[in-house]
Amino acid sequence: MIAPVEIKVNVASPVTDSLVALDLLDSPPLWRDMWFAEARARDDVGALPLLAGRLTIRLRSGDRDDVTVGVRPCDTDRLVGRWRAPFEETHFSYRLERDWCGERREVAAAAISRRPPGSVATALRDGADPAHILDAAQRQFVVTCTPRGIHIDHLGTLGPVTCQTWPEVDLDGCSVQVERWSVADVDLLELALRLQPHPGETAAQFEVRAMSAHRAIRATVTRRALSIADFRESKTHRVMTALRATS
């Protein structure tokens, strides 16, 4: 199987200026509140044990709700059974793809369950343990495919983060997703381009095409007078660290 590639570009320019340059300032985004599940804070101030174990549980609620259990970077040797290849069901999907961001190259696996609008926010009221929101397939994914020693009971939530998404933005003939995460003094804007292998395309050919697309999207951002931030940490890591510091 040739895994899809998601190319991500973090914009370092001020967000408002970036939205103007991308012609999005007057384009209404999809708004959602977003939380992350983590072990409840103890004496080890600032610790994020799930994230340190490469496991992320993200919960989003608004016009469209979903719960995502992701492992990144993913040890593909731990993927067994149906978790070895992507699949799609009515209210559940499983993705296996490569994330490219700057010089980072990581394999990511994600089990995503789609929920009725507003249901996730309702389920998290009054400090409910977010572990109870995971469905049976997501629990199976965690038990089967994550590193040993990861526990997903007795969790708390970090957030909410304001999440704005522009799902299909034409960037010089290329369709990208633009996403903004805002909380406290953190305000991040990211562009993402997802590439699928073509029928009959070899792994080597797909790699060349992905590298060309990676260069092209970065050049397009630069041509719009925007600077690119090649953070060492993912935007998830940066936001969760900021949230833990204020929790």
Side-chain angles (χ1 to χ4, degrees), residues 38-234:
E38 252 296 354
R40 296 184 182 275
R42 298 179 182 175
D43 294 336
D44 47 350
V45 177
L48 296 164
L50 293 191
L51 186 63
R54 297 180 287 172
L55 177 67
T56 303
I57 301 175
R58 185 188 69 191
L59 312 103
R60 298 189 295 189
S61 190
D63 293 338
R64 296 186 308 190
D65 284 27
D66 57 43
V67 177
T68 298
V69 178
V71 179
R72 185 182 62 192
C74 175
D75 181 0
T76 55
D77 289 339
R78 292 194 59 85
L79 302 178
V80 297
R82 67 171 178 164
W83 307 111
R84 293 190 63 82
F87 61 87
E88 187 78 28
E89 298 176 350
T90 304
H91 299 293
F92 186 89
S93 60
Y94 174 66
R95 293 180 182 174
L96 185 61
E97 60 190 19
R98 292 178 291 163
D99 276 0
W100 290 11
C101 186
E103 296 301 316
R104 290 201 316 270
R105 302 287 190 271
E106 298 173 332
V107 176
I112 306 159
S113 62
R114 293 176 286 275
R115 308 298 176 88
S119 62
V120 169
T122 299
L124 291 177
R125 285 177 182 166
D126 303 321
D129 188 335
H132 297 312
I133 302 178
L134 304 186
D135 63 18
Q138 289 173 316
R139 286 183 170 274
Q140 180 195 50
F141 172 64
V142 171
V143 170
T144 305
C145 302
T146 61
R148 294 177 181 177
I150 300 295
H151 303 288
I152 58 169
D153 293 310
H154 308 297
L155 304 178
T157 53
L158 298 174
V161 177
T162 299
C163 176
Q164 301 175 56
T165 305
W166 293 263
E168 296 180 359
V169 177
D170 187 315
L171 193 64
D172 296 345
C174 183
S175 181
V176 301
Q177 174 174 284
V178 178
E179 194 162 72
R180 179 184 189 179
W181 289 5
S182 308
V183 64
D185 59 349
V186 177
D187 197 4
L188 303 176
L189 193 72
E190 181 183 83
L191 283 66
L193 169 65
R194 196 166 191 267
L195 295 179
Q196 293 277 6
H198 295 322
E201 191 173 31
T202 67
Q205 290 170 334
F206 182 53
E207 192 80 8
V208 170
R209 182 161 63 90
M211 292 175 63
S212 177
H214 183 257
R215 291 191 297 269
I217 189 173
R218 291 173 65 90
T220 297
V221 171
T222 302
R223 279 198 301 272
R224 296 188 178 222
L226 298 176
S227 57
I228 297 173
D230 287 327
F231 300 120
R232 295 181 62 184
E233 303 88 8
S234 68

